[in-house]
Amino acid sequence: EQELAEEESRFMKMLDHIRDAVLGMNDGLVEILSVTMGLVGAYGSAFHVALSGLVVAVAGALSMGIGAFVAARAQRQVHEGSLARILLAARYAAHVFEDRIRRFMEDKGYSGEAASKVAMESAKDPKLMARIISEEEYGLKEERLEDPRAAGLYTGLAYLLSALLPIIPYFMSLPIIPSMLLSLLIAGLALSATGLVIAISANLPVKKKIAEMVLAGFGSAAATFTLGRIFSMIFGVTVA
């Protein structure tokens, strides 16, 4: 049972990292695709689109990485604070927790005698008692906690790598329209791959999820392109 629990814990940690990476990839693709399309609509210079998109990509990666780190760290601190309070209560009010543990065991199907033995044994060790109470009553498990540094690193790197994809065509010295079309193609393929990963990991319909991701990304890009064109006309920016 211990070996199976350890394997499950490692698997859950891997899923957490995949979640962070997918979150960063999705945000990077959609945000930078939208930004570049808006810039194309605003002034149509491939070099300026590439340079501006790169700046936004780096800034966004830092923001996403730091945000993921702060969120995971805050969650860990709240979790550790709750465990500390439960442990303190277990040391000075063990009889109250003993009754709760006995009821937990009975709800799980243990006989009254077996449940009482488990409760009595746990009462001898405040740390064990606190762990049982935190898991059974509050759903707080140590293995569910994310490493803040890993969360920030995975999210930030995934964002940056995916954000660079829509920008690459604008660095290829192509005219603005071919650059835009190639950027849309690359982004569409990347969004499809991201949708595939999400669908498989969450057991969702693959085609539906891919269509959802692509339509959302392209819809956002179309909206920002239109907004860029409007700003271009309002402020009299010349499109190359």
Side-chain angles (χ1 to χ4, degrees), residues 35-50:
V35 167
T36 54
M37 289 298 293
L39 293 172
V40 169
Y43 45 70
S45 167
F47 175 75
H48 290 140
V49 170

PDB file of all heavy atoms in Angstrom, residues 35-50:
ATOM      1  N   VAL A  35      -1.762  39.760 -29.441  1.00  0.00           N
ATOM      2  CA  VAL A  35      -0.931  40.973 -29.458  1.00  0.00           C
ATOM      3  C   VAL A  35      -0.359  41.219 -30.851  1.00  0.00           C
ATOM      4  O   VAL A  35      -0.426  42.333 -31.389  1.00  0.00           O
ATOM      5  CB  VAL A  35       0.205  40.870 -28.419  1.00  0.00           C
ATOM      6  CG1 VAL A  35       1.250  41.964 -28.655  1.00  0.00           C
ATOM      7  CG2 VAL A  35      -0.352  40.983 -27.014  1.00  0.00           C
ATOM      8  N   THR A  36       0.216  40.173 -31.460  1.00  0.00           N
ATOM      9  CA  THR A  36       0.831  40.345 -32.774  1.00  0.00           C
ATOM     10  C   THR A  36      -0.218  40.708 -33.835  1.00  0.00           C
ATOM     11  O   THR A  36       0.030  41.538 -34.705  1.00  0.00           O
ATOM     12  CB  THR A  36       1.585  39.080 -33.205  1.00  0.00           C
ATOM     13  OG1 THR A  36       0.707  37.947 -33.126  1.00  0.00           O
ATOM     14  CG2 THR A  36       2.792  38.847 -32.316  1.00  0.00           C
ATOM     15  N   MET A  37      -1.386  40.101 -33.755  1.00  0.00           N
ATOM     16  CA  MET A  37      -2.440  40.428 -34.717  1.00  0.00           C
ATOM     17  C   MET A  37      -2.917  41.867 -34.536  1.00  0.00           C
ATOM     18  O   MET A  37      -3.198  42.576 -35.501  1.00  0.00           O
ATOM     19  CB  MET A  37      -3.610  39.464 -34.562  1.00  0.00           C
ATOM     20  CG  MET A  37      -3.303  38.047 -35.046  1.00  0.00           C
ATOM     21  SD  MET A  37      -2.908  37.972 -36.799  1.00  0.00           S
ATOM     22  CE  MET A  37      -4.494  38.411 -37.494  1.00  0.00           C
ATOM     23  N   GLY A  38      -2.990  42.302 -33.296  1.00  0.00           N
ATOM     24  CA  GLY A  38      -3.356  43.698 -33.053  1.00  0.00           C
ATOM     25  C   GLY A  38      -2.321  44.656 -33.595  1.00  0.00           C
ATOM     26  O   GLY A  38      -2.664  45.703 -34.168  1.00  0.00           O
ATOM     27  N   LEU A  39      -1.041  44.304 -33.465  1.00  0.00           N
ATOM     28  CA  LEU A  39       0.032  45.153 -33.989  1.00  0.00           C
ATOM     29  C   LEU A  39       0.034  45.162 -35.517  1.00  0.00           C
ATOM     30  O   LEU A  39       0.299  46.195 -36.139  1.00  0.00           O
ATOM     31  CB  LEU A  39       1.382  44.665 -33.469  1.00  0.00           C
ATOM     32  CG  LEU A  39       1.600  44.818 -31.954  1.00  0.00           C
ATOM     33  CD1 LEU A  39       2.877  44.123 -31.530  1.00  0.00           C
ATOM     34  CD2 LEU A  39       1.635  46.290 -31.565  1.00  0.00           C
ATOM     35  N   VAL A  40      -0.263  44.005 -36.124  1.00  0.00           N
ATOM     36  CA  VAL A  40      -0.374  43.963 -37.588  1.00  0.00           C
ATOM     37  C   VAL A  40      -1.485  44.894 -38.052  1.00  0.00           C
ATOM     38  O   VAL A  40      -1.332  45.649 -39.026  1.00  0.00           O
ATOM     39  CB  VAL A  40      -0.646  42.520 -38.069  1.00  0.00           C
ATOM     40  CG1 VAL A  40      -1.037  42.508 -39.549  1.00  0.00           C
ATOM     41  CG2 VAL A  40       0.576  41.648 -37.857  1.00  0.00           C
ATOM     42  N   GLY A  41      -2.599  44.863 -37.341  1.00  0.00           N
ATOM     43  CA  GLY A  41      -3.701  45.746 -37.704  1.00  0.00           C
ATOM     44  C   GLY A  41      -3.397  47.202 -37.461  1.00  0.00           C
ATOM     45  O   GLY A  41      -3.921  48.083 -38.157  1.00  0.00           O
ATOM     46  N   ALA A  42      -2.508  47.480 -36.496  1.00  0.00           N
ATOM     47  CA  ALA A  42      -2.218  48.870 -36.156  1.00  0.00           C
ATOM     48  C   ALA A  42      -1.257  49.525 -37.130  1.00  0.00           C
ATOM     49  O   ALA A  42      -1.510  50.617 -37.642  1.00  0.00           O
ATOM     50  CB  ALA A  42      -1.656  48.951 -34.735  1.00  0.00           C
ATOM     51  N   TYR A  43      -0.096  48.867 -37.422  1.00  0.00           N
ATOM     52  CA  TYR A  43       0.846  49.534 -38.307  1.00  0.00           C
ATOM     53  C   TYR A  43       1.541  48.620 -39.309  1.00  0.00           C
ATOM     54  O   TYR A  43       2.300  49.068 -40.147  1.00  0.00           O
ATOM     55  CB  TYR A  43       1.915  50.308 -37.516  1.00  0.00           C
ATOM     56  CG  TYR A  43       2.546  49.600 -36.355  1.00  0.00           C
ATOM     57  CD1 TYR A  43       3.410  48.531 -36.537  1.00  0.00           C
ATOM     58  CD2 TYR A  43       2.276  50.025 -35.065  1.00  0.00           C
ATOM     59  CE1 TYR A  43       3.993  47.902 -35.447  1.00  0.00           C
ATOM     60  CE2 TYR A  43       2.853  49.400 -33.986  1.00  0.00           C
ATOM     61  CZ  TYR A  43       3.713  48.345 -34.175  1.00  0.00           C
ATOM     62  OH  TYR A  43       4.284  47.713 -33.106  1.00  0.00           O
ATOM     63  N   GLY A  44       1.326  47.346 -39.268  1.00  0.00           N
ATOM     64  CA  GLY A  44       1.743  46.457 -40.350  1.00  0.00           C
ATOM     65  C   GLY A  44       3.220  46.324 -40.620  1.00  0.00           C
ATOM     66  O   GLY A  44       3.591  45.891 -41.706  1.00  0.00           O
ATOM     67  N   SER A  45       4.091  46.657 -39.689  1.00  0.00           N
ATOM     68  CA  SER A  45       5.525  46.479 -39.885  1.00  0.00           C
ATOM     69  C   SER A  45       5.944  45.174 -39.229  1.00  0.00           C
ATOM     70  O   SER A  45       5.801  45.002 -38.012  1.00  0.00           O
ATOM     71  CB  SER A  45       6.296  47.652 -39.267  1.00  0.00           C
ATOM     72  OG  SER A  45       7.675  47.346 -39.188  1.00  0.00           O
ATOM     73  N   ALA A  46       6.469  44.228 -40.025  1.00  0.00           N
ATOM     74  CA  ALA A  46       6.827  42.914 -39.499  1.00  0.00           C
ATOM     75  C   ALA A  46       7.881  43.021 -38.398  1.00  0.00           C
ATOM     76  O   ALA A  46       7.802  42.330 -37.379  1.00  0.00           O
ATOM     77  CB  ALA A  46       7.332  42.017 -40.625  1.00  0.00           C
ATOM     78  N   PHE A  47       8.879  43.893 -38.588  1.00  0.00           N
ATOM     79  CA  PHE A  47       9.939  44.024 -37.588  1.00  0.00           C
ATOM     80  C   PHE A  47       9.385  44.560 -36.276  1.00  0.00           C
ATOM     81  O   PHE A  47       9.717  44.061 -35.197  1.00  0.00           O
ATOM     82  CB  PHE A  47      11.037  44.947 -38.103  1.00  0.00           C
ATOM     83  CG  PHE A  47      12.108  45.219 -37.079  1.00  0.00           C
ATOM     84  CD1 PHE A  47      13.055  44.258 -36.770  1.00  0.00           C
ATOM     85  CD2 PHE A  47      12.148  46.439 -36.404  1.00  0.00           C
ATOM     86  CE1 PHE A  47      14.027  44.510 -35.812  1.00  0.00           C
ATOM     87  CE2 PHE A  47      13.118  46.690 -35.450  1.00  0.00           C
ATOM     88  CZ  PHE A  47      14.061  45.724 -35.156  1.00  0.00           C
ATOM     89  N   HIS A  48       8.531  45.573 -36.357  1.00  0.00           N
ATOM     90  CA  HIS A  48       7.966  46.149 -35.142  1.00  0.00           C
ATOM     91  C   HIS A  48       7.030  45.155 -34.451  1.00  0.00           C
ATOM     92  O   HIS A  48       6.964  45.100 -33.220  1.00  0.00           O
ATOM     93  CB  HIS A  48       7.215  47.439 -35.473  1.00  0.00           C
ATOM     94  CG  HIS A  48       8.120  48.564 -35.874  1.00  0.00           C
ATOM     95  ND1 HIS A  48       7.813  49.429 -36.894  1.00  0.00           N
ATOM     96  CD2 HIS A  48       9.330  48.943 -35.402  1.00  0.00           C
ATOM     97  CE1 HIS A  48       8.792  50.304 -37.027  1.00  0.00           C
ATOM     98  NE2 HIS A  48       9.726  50.025 -36.134  1.00  0.00           N
ATOM     99  N   VAL A  49       6.303  44.386 -35.243  1.00  0.00           N
ATOM    100  CA  VAL A  49       5.450  43.353 -34.661  1.00  0.00           C
ATOM    101  C   VAL A  49       6.303  42.334 -33.907  1.00  0.00           C
ATOM    102  O   VAL A  49       5.997  41.944 -32.774  1.00  0.00           O
ATOM    103  CB  VAL A  49       4.620  42.654 -35.754  1.00  0.00           C
ATOM    104  CG1 VAL A  49       3.913  41.419 -35.185  1.00  0.00           C
ATOM    105  CG2 VAL A  49       3.588  43.615 -36.337  1.00  0.00           C
ATOM    106  N   ALA A  50       7.396  41.895 -34.531  1.00  0.00           N
ATOM    107  CA  ALA A  50       8.275  40.909 -33.909  1.00  0.00           C
ATOM    108  C   ALA A  50       8.892  41.440 -32.628  1.00  0.00           C
ATOM    109  O   ALA A  50       8.911  40.758 -31.591  1.00  0.00           O
ATOM    110  CB  ALA A  50       9.371  40.503 -34.887  1.00  0.00           C
TER     111      ALA A  50
END
